[in-house]
């Protein structure tokens, strides 16, 4: 038995909405029952627009039609009078979910054909009839399209042949009766909606599994008469840029009668006056002006940019349909901002209307969605945007290529710090190994460099200088490929690209977003260039500066290696003295760029092997550099090797075992503060200790850092505003957060390592099996990509709660790669965190996402 609540809802729907509704200003209609198109037609009618007679079929009516229970056909046809010509269009709840194609001229038959010959002439009338038979045969009777080609010349003979084919294939003459035709059209459109492909396509666009389809049956406005007759389509903004522009086509009836008007319709004339040819504005100035006023009315009252389909019927304008203008990401931002600036929608709504991922597209070049894609291999989409270039297999080839001014794609098994210079020189990076938090991915995102990682089907043969893709095709060094870091595809050649577009509308939208957002957004930025990008995107500070990345640049790698090779503390100190001014200059540059904001500097956290060469040539270079015999260098490199470097002598362990390194970094930070302070730049510095697992680690480092601060303060006589905090990225640090927080002003959760350690899953190797894990539903998503709220999230929540017990005002944030994602921002808001930190290019996306979540929170309260 039905429960009362369901029962009530069912009764309400049955009594309120009928299966067939003649669309009038007051008819009971809803997008959830009749679909967006039907509801929009009612709105147009309410705005007094001349819409031809239209009947809407509800989702239920269409569902019944699919299982053979047609609606009352007499009732459906009654409003259209005798011998009507009708169009049938889909009306899904959200227009983006699509639906079967429209069928036009339902009701066309031999008698109507004779009438049309008198009006349109034999050729056009024949073409119209043949097109109807063709579309009925293919889309309604589901016959073989190859049997129903339109001949170049439409004549009575061709029509007869087509009719004969229809009869041969179906054992029935072509139906002449409008009721039969319409019934079959409704049935076929209803069934098409239930097909597997249609279902998968709309589900990919976010439609629920049980999404319904409505249909609208409308009188074809194809009048006869002396006045102008024809069909057109118009929109009032450019779909690519979103700028105001009248775009569309108009086709006089002899051509228009046979098909829907599209962008490329043959025989179309311009809408606005144009030196290149005739225009509707010249032909019918009054109707043109009326059309413009309808466009304006739609924008103001439907609160949207609409594409309007219209006809002229013996000189009278009719509006057939209006749908949301198709738009690029750039246009979606421009349109939302313009509607709010014109006070048609509130700013909150403009902020809600733009999909945050659309901003990410604007920040990078993209492969034109219309371009053909010839895929060589697929991997993980690790850093968005697309770039083309010649294949190079080493960092030095990348640098040489850049020096020649030739864009290149650096293809590596995986990247290491030695590749940094090559990555800077390359247009894009492709690796065989690694996941979304691998070296290539992190650096790629920081640089805004398109990057695909973990392309495990790729074979790289350095000896022959070739790479081979998933299907066995191979490409030589120097051949051009394209890396699409947005989709994870690697493509042959150089498809057409769409340029990045940061315009005023983009900035305005983000400024509005900041007014609504209630959580901070900082950037992970390691170099002055990153910091500048972060500042350009209005990050509220730096949430993570990975200082080891500063040593991958220029001559520093060499000095760093000397430091690693120093056996004695004094030798190490001597090398660190050379590194000190470099670090000081780095921090000074960051502080100046981020003037007035917080900068969180993470002390050194590299697995040391990353700084050591892995091949013979590298070992030889190193031997030369440190002036030691090759065997000695090789032996020392082997001695430094660890079985599992990610769990080895990293982070604070290094700081405790070799304290001079952190001493030097702390000094560099404080001296840089003094230097910028003397220039009048205020900075709030934060020093973060990585990979902590025990409170004593924090105590030891804190006492040394405070001692350095004391020394710098004593010498400079300048007060230093700094805070010391902990990067919480081991499960134990979460569990012991209460005693760790006693010594930490802030706790920043490093979700990359925390995910790695919670799952016991290597960040760098997970790519190998992740797709099969996700495909088989072992994990819902790659946890390095989407924050695992259930597991990792629970540890973070526990850490935050325990941290607050000993220090209620402890500043909380996350700074792993998840930082900019919707799931992580929602989680951090819910737990009352202070900010999220993400790569600079994700900052705009995070600002918009945070604002949308805050606005959604207001709505649901
Ligand atoms: C982390 O572990 O989440 C983090 C941000 O640090 P890294 O990626 O440098 O290990
Ligand atoms: Mg980490």
């Amino acid at each position: 038995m039905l429960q009362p609540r369901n029962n009530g809802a069912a009764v309400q729907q049955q009594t309120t909405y009928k299966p067939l509704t003649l669309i009038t200003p007051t008819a009971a209609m809803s997008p959830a029952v009749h679909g967006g198109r039907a509801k929009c037609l009612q709105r147009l009618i309410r705005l007094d627009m001349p819409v031809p007679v239209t009947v809407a079929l509800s989702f239920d009516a269409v569902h019944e039609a699919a299982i053979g229970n047609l609606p009352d056909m007499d009732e459906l046809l009654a409003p259209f009078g005798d011998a009507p010509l009708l169009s049938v269009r889909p009306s899904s709840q959200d227009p983006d979910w699509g639906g079967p194609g429209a069928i036009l001229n339902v009701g066309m038959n031999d008698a109507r054909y004779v009438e049309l010959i008198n009006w349109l002439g034999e050729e056009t009338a024949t073409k119209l009839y043949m097109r109807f038979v063709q579309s009925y045969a293919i889309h309604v009777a589901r016959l073989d399209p190859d049997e129903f080609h339109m001949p170049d010349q439409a004549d009575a003979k061709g029509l007869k042949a087509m009719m004969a084919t229809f009869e041969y294939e179906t054992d029935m003459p072509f139906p002449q009766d409008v009721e039969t035709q319409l019934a079959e059209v409704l049935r076929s459109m209803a069934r098409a909606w239930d097909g597997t492909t249609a279902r998968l396509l709309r589900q990919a666009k976010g439609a629920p599994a049980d999404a319904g389809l409505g249909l609208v049956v409308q009188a074809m406005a194809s009048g006869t008469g002396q006045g102008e007759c024809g069909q057109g389509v118009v929109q009032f903004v450019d779909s690519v840029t979103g700028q105001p522009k009248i775009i569309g086509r108009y086709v006089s009836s002899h051509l228009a009668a046979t098909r829907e008007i599209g962008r490329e319709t043959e025989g179309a004339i311009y809408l606005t006056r144009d030196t290149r040819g005739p225009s509707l504005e010249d032909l019918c100035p009054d109707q043109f002006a009326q059309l413009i006023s309808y466009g304006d009315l739609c924008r103001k009252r439907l609160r949207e940019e609409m594409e309007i389909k219209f006809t002229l019927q013996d000189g009278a304008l009719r509006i057939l349909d209006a749908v949301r203008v198709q738009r690029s990401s750039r246009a979606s931002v421009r349109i939302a901002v313009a509607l709010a600036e014109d006070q048609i929608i509130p700013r909150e709504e403009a902020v809600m209307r733009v999909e945050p991922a659309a901003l990410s597209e604007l920040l990078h070049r993209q492969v034109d969605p219309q371009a053909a894609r010839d895929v060589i291999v697929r991997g993980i989409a690790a850093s968005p945007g697309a770039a083309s270039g010649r294949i190079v297999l080493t960092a030095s080839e990348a640098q040489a290529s850049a020096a020649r001014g030739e864009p290149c794609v650096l293809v590596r098994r995986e990247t290491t710090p030695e590749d940094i210079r090559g990555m800077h020189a390359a247009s894009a990076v492709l690796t065989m190994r690694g996941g979304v938090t691998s070296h290539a991915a992190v650096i790629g995102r920081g640089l805004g460099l398109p990057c695909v990682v973990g392309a495990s089907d790729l074979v790289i043969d350095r000896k022959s200088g070739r790479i081979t893709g998933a299907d066995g095709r191979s490409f030589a060094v120097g051949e051009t490929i394209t890396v699409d870091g947005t989709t994870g595809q690697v493509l042959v050649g150089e498809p057409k690209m769409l340029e990045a577009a940061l315009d005023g509308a983009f900035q305005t939208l983000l400024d509005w977003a900041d007014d609504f957002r209630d959580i901070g957004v900082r950037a992970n930025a390691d170099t002055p260039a990153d910091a500048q990008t972060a500042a350009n995107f209005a990050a509220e500070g730096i949430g993570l500066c990975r200082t080891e990345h500063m040593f991958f640049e220029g001559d520093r790698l060499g000095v760093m290696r000397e430091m690693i090779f120093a056996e004695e503390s004094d030798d190490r100190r001597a090398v660190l003295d050379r590194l000190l001014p470099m670090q000081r200059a780095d921090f000074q540059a960051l502080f100046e760029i981020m003037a007035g904001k917080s900068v969180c500097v993470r002390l050194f956290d590299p697995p040391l092997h990353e700084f050591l060469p892995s091949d013979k040539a590298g070992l030889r270079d190193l031997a030369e550099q440190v002036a030691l015999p090759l065997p000695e260098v090789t032996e020392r490199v082997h001695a430094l090797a660890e079985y599992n470097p990610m769990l080895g002598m990293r982070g604070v362990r290094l700081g405790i075992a070799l304290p001079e390194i952190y001493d030097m970094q702390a000094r560099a930070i404080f001296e840089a503060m003094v230097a910028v302070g003397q220039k009048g730049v205020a900075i709030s510095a934060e020093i973060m200790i990585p990979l902590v697992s025990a409170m004593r680690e924090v105590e030891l480092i804190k006492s040394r850092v405070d001692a350095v601060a004391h020394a710098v303060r004593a010498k400079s006589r300048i007060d230093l505003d700094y805070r010391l905090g902990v990067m919480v990225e081991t499960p134990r640090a979460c569990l012991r957060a209460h005693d760790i927080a006693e010594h930490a002003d802030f706790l920043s959760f490093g979700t990359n390592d925390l995910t790695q350690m919670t799952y016991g899953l290597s960040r760098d190797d997970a790519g190998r099996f992740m797709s099969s894990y996700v495909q088989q539903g072992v994990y819902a998503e790659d946890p390095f990509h989407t924050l695992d709220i259930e597991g990792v999230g629970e540890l973070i929540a526990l850490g935050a709660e325990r941290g607050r017990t000993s220090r209620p005002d402890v500043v909380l944030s996350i700074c792993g790669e998840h930082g900019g994602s919707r799931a992580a921002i929602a989680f951090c808001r819910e737990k009352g965190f202070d900010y999220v930190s993400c790569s600079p290019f994700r900052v705009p996306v995070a600002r918009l996402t945070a604002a949308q979540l805050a606005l959604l929170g207001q709505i649901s309260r």
Side-chain angles (χ1 to χ4, degrees):
M1 213 181 88
L2 284 175
Q3 294 303 306
R5 204 160 63 89
N6 292 342
N7 216 352
V11 169
Q12 192 189 6
Q13 180 151 330
Q14 269 172 13
T15 51
T16 313
Y17 302 110
K18 296 179 293 171
L20 301 176
T21 304
L22 175 66
I23 306 185
T24 62
T26 53
M29 295 189 68
S30 151
V33 175
H34 300 97
R37 170 170 268 131
K39 186 65 197 170
C40 182
L41 284 167
Q42 184 180 47
R43 293 196 175 118
L44 301 182
I45 291 169
R46 285 184 183 156
L47 293 173
D48 271 343
M49 292 194 199
V51 176
V53 174
T54 311
V55 174
L57 276 76
S58 69
F59 293 174
D60 280 350
V62 175
H63 178 69
E64 286 296 315
I67 53 174
N69 304 324
L70 286 166
D72 181 336
M73 295 304 286
D74 289 340
E75 186 190 338
L76 172 56
L77 283 166
F80 299 106
D82 291 339
L85 273 190
L86 304 170
S87 69
V88 186
R89 291 193 167 86
S91 177
S92 51
Q93 187 167 343
D94 180 331
D96 288 346
W97 298 345
I103 307 261
L104 308 183
N105 294 314
V106 179
M108 186 66 199
N109 56 19
D110 294 348
R112 199 61 194 251
Y113 175 50
V114 174
E115 268 176 40
L116 286 182
I117 291 177
N118 292 332
W119 178 48
L120 296 172
E122 181 166 354
E123 193 188 342
T124 308
T126 310
K127 212 186 236 177
L128 187 150
Y129 198 7
M130 286 183 81
R131 274 204 195 282
F132 175 60
V133 177
Q134 181 194 39
S135 89
Y136 191 94
I138 298 171
H139 301 296
V140 180
R142 308 267 163 213
L143 300 180
D144 182 356
D146 287 347
E147 302 285 337
F148 290 89
H149 274 309
M150 277 298 285
D152 292 340
Q153 195 70 35
D155 55 21
K157 200 168 139 226
L159 175 61
K160 210 168 155 203
M162 209 180 241
M163 292 293 203
T165 311
F166 186 92
E167 189 162 348
Y168 179 78
E169 296 290 337
T170 60
D171 286 337
M172 277 189 301
F174 188 78
Q176 294 293 307
D177 170 34
V178 63
E179 185 178 324
T180 311
Q181 290 179 3
L182 184 59
E184 290 308 314
V185 168
L186 298 181
R187 211 186 327 253
S188 73
M189 288 175 84
R191 285 191 183 151
W193 180 251
D194 284 342
T196 313
T197 317
R199 193 191 300 265
L200 289 177
L201 278 176
R202 65 179 178 266
Q203 282 179 6
K205 291 178 184 163
D210 61 350
L213 174 75
L215 292 172
V216 291
V217 180
Q218 188 177 64
M220 295 277 300
S222 50
T224 53
Q226 298 305 307
E228 174 60 27
C229 293
Q231 249 191 69
V233 58
V234 63
Q235 66 183 57
F236 302 89
V237 287
D238 185 313
S239 287
V240 174
T241 64
Q243 292 288 349
K245 191 172 176 187
I246 298 175
I247 298 173
R249 295 282 177 274
Y250 173 77
V251 186
S252 254
S253 54
H254 284 250
L255 289 160
T258 61
R259 62 174 82 184
E260 291 253 274
I261 306 298
R263 231 147 247 245
E264 308 303 335
T265 307
E266 186 194 322
I269 62 168
Y270 296 101
L271 290 182
T272 48
R273 197 159 290 134
D274 198 301
T275 49
R276 290 168 295 175
S279 70
L280 184 66
E281 190 173 5
D282 282 328
L283 193 67
C284 302
D286 294 344
Q287 293 88 333
F288 177 77
Q290 205 180 357
L291 189 60
I292 301 293
S293 74
Y294 285 151
D296 196 44
L297 196 58
C298 271
R299 182 168 189 267
K300 290 197 176 113
R301 302 291 294 278
L302 303 187
R303 307 159 76 246
E304 190 40 291
E305 288 293 350
M306 304 298 281
E307 181 193 77
I308 299 177
K309 275 203 171 64
F310 64 94
T311 60
L312 288 179
Q313 211 180 337
D314 197 11
L317 185 63
R318 296 269 179 281
I319 303 296
L320 303 188
D321 194 17
V323 291
R324 222 174 138 262
V325 165
Q326 294 282 334
R327 62 201 67 185
S328 68
S329 299
R330 182 176 171 192
S332 75
V333 175
R334 173 77 183 66
I335 290 171
V337 168
L339 287 171
E341 281 178 336
D342 294 344
Q343 295 181 352
I344 294 169
I345 59 173
R347 288 178 177 183
E348 286 87 337
E349 192 171 337
V351 165
M352 290 304 293
R353 279 191 184 191
V354 176
E355 184 54 44
L359 294 190
S360 178
E361 276 177 36
L362 300 190
L363 301 171
H364 305 279
R365 293 178 88 209
Q366 298 289 339
V367 175
D368 186 332
Q370 314 294 336
R373 287 170 174 258
D374 184 358
V375 178
I376 303 171
V377 75
R378 285 185 173 78
I380 297 169
S383 174
S388 309
R390 292 159 183 261
I391 299 169
V392 295
L393 301 183
T394 63
S396 53
E397 284 168 32
Q399 286 174 271
S401 178
R404 292 194 300 273
E406 288 171 6
C408 65
V409 173
L410 178 61
V411 185
R412 304 283 287 156
R413 225 172 103 75
E414 63 193 322
T415 62
T416 65
E418 282 176 281
D419 293 315
I420 287 275
R421 283 193 249 178
M423 290 180 77
H424 271 285
S427 313
V429 175
L430 164 64
T431 69
M432 253 174 76
R433 293 189 58 200
V436 282
T437 63
S438 62
H439 179 266
V442 172
I443 300 292
R445 281 194 293 273
L447 296 175
L449 194 67
C451 180
V452 171
V453 299
S456 48
D457 290 336
L458 186 73
V459 178
I460 305 173
D461 185 348
R462 292 259 309 258
K463 278 206 187 104
S464 67
R466 298 191 79 83
I467 62 168
T468 307
D471 62 1
R473 279 184 294 172
S474 98
F475 301 83
V477 161
E479 284 188 60
T480 298
I481 58 171
T482 296
V483 170
D484 184 344
T486 307
T487 62
Q489 293 175 336
V490 182
L491 309 171
V492 178
E494 197 172 354
K496 191 164 170 256
M497 299 276 184
L498 293 183
E499 291 304 322
L502 297 183
D503 53 19
F506 174 91
Q507 305 292 1
T508 307
L509 187 84
L510 285 174
D511 287 348
W512 294 346
D514 288 347
D515 292 340
F516 305 124
R517 155 166 87 76
D518 54 11
I519 186 166
V521 177
R522 294 201 200 173
N524 296 348
D526 309 331
T527 60
D530 290 346
Q532 194 54 60
T533 310
N536 294 347
F537 292 146
E540 289 161 282
I542 294 180
L544 172 64
C545 167
R546 294 173 162 106
T547 49
E548 59 280 3
H549 290 173
M550 293 171 160
F551 294 101
F552 297 154
E553 307 229 352
D555 313 331
R556 296 160 177 217
L557 191 57
V559 186
M560 207 45 212
R561 284 173 170 167
E562 278 184 53
M563 202 265 305
I564 294 167
F565 266 70
E567 305 244 32
E568 302 297 329
S569 177
D570 283 349
D571 298 341
R572 197 171 308 118
R573 220 183 295 271
V575 187
L576 286 168
D577 283 347
R578 281 162 58 207
L579 284 173
L580 175 71
M582 300 180 194
Q583 277 268 269
R584 194 170 47 222
D586 291 332
F587 296 138
Q588 206 172 316
L590 286 191
F591 293 164
E592 280 172 14
I593 293 166
M594 299 311 290
K597 299 186 175 134
S598 299
V599 176
C600 180
V601 179
R602 179 180 77 184
L603 298 173
F604 211 50
D605 173 28
L608 280 188
H609 77 290
E610 284 198 357
F611 283 94
L612 298 172
S614 49
D615 58 7
K616 278 199 185 127
L619 286 167
R620 260 197 309 274
D621 282 353
L622 181 56
E624 222 166 73
Q625 191 182 345
V626 294
L628 287 172
L630 180 62
E632 203 174 311
V633 167
T634 310
E635 198 187 308
R636 184 118 175 78
V637 167
H638 285 156
L640 281 168
E642 293 173 303
Y643 285 107
N644 194 342
M646 291 304 269
L647 300 179
M649 176 101 130
R650 276 181 65 189
V652 67
R653 298 161 199 171
L654 191 72
I656 286 175
L658 309 172
E660 306 85 357
I661 302 178
Y662 280 10
D663 286 354
M664 178 280 285
Q665 289 200 295
R667 179 170 295 280
I669 293 168
F670 296 133
E671 289 182 356
M673 287 174 77
V674 170
V676 298
Q678 281 162 347
K679 290 190 194 167
V681 177
I683 202 81
S684 165
E686 296 166 356
I687 298 177
M688 181 152 75
I689 313 173
L691 221 75
V692 165
S693 58
M695 182 258 266
R696 182 75 184 135
E697 290 168 329
V698 188
E699 260 182 343
L700 288 173
I701 301 298
K702 182 170 165 49
S703 63
R704 290 190 77 109
V705 169
D706 286 345
V708 176
H710 186 75
V712 175
R713 214 181 261 135
K715 193 167 160 209
S716 65
R717 295 175 189 283
I718 288 184
D719 201 22
L720 298 169
D721 171 24
Y722 75 96
R723 267 162 296 285
L724 194 105
V726 165
M727 187 150 180
V728 181
E729 48 186 346
T730 65
R732 195 175 190 282
C734 294
L735 297 170
R736 303 303 303 170
H738 44 299
D739 51 30
I740 287 175
E742 279 177 25
H743 305 282
D745 296 313
F746 59 89
L747 300 178
S748 187
F749 291 84
T751 51
N752 303 336
D753 274 309
L754 193 55
T755 301
Q756 167 166 265
M757 296 192 210
T758 304
Y759 278 82
L761 191 65
S762 160
R763 297 162 59 159
D764 297 315
D765 298 311
R768 281 200 196 171
F769 57 86
M770 190 54 74
S771 56
S772 94
Y773 251 53
V774 172
Q775 259 163 26
Q776 296 182 56
V778 183
Y779 300 155
E781 304 275 357
D782 177 348
F784 290 109
H785 202 224
T786 307
L787 183 64
D788 161 45
I789 305 288
E790 285 177 356
V792 179
E794 179 148 2
L795 271 175
I796 297 175
L798 195 119
E801 191 189 307
R802 292 190 178 175
R804 280 178 174 143
T805 55
S806 60
R807 190 184 284 252
D809 62 346
V810 66
V811 173
L812 297 171
S813 62
I814 69 169
C815 63
E817 296 308 311
H818 303 89
S821 72
R822 191 175 184 89
I825 297 172
F827 174 83
C828 289
R829 281 189 69 248
E830 192 192 308
K831 302 290 171 207
F833 277 35
D834 296 277
Y835 68 88
V836 296
S837 190
C838 55
S839 59
F841 283 93
R842 288 201 80 170
V843 166
V845 180
R847 286 164 65 198
L848 183 60
T849 306
Q852 292 188 348
L853 289 166
L855 288 168
L856 280 174
Q858 283 173 18
I859 294 167
S860 63
R861 265 205 299 273

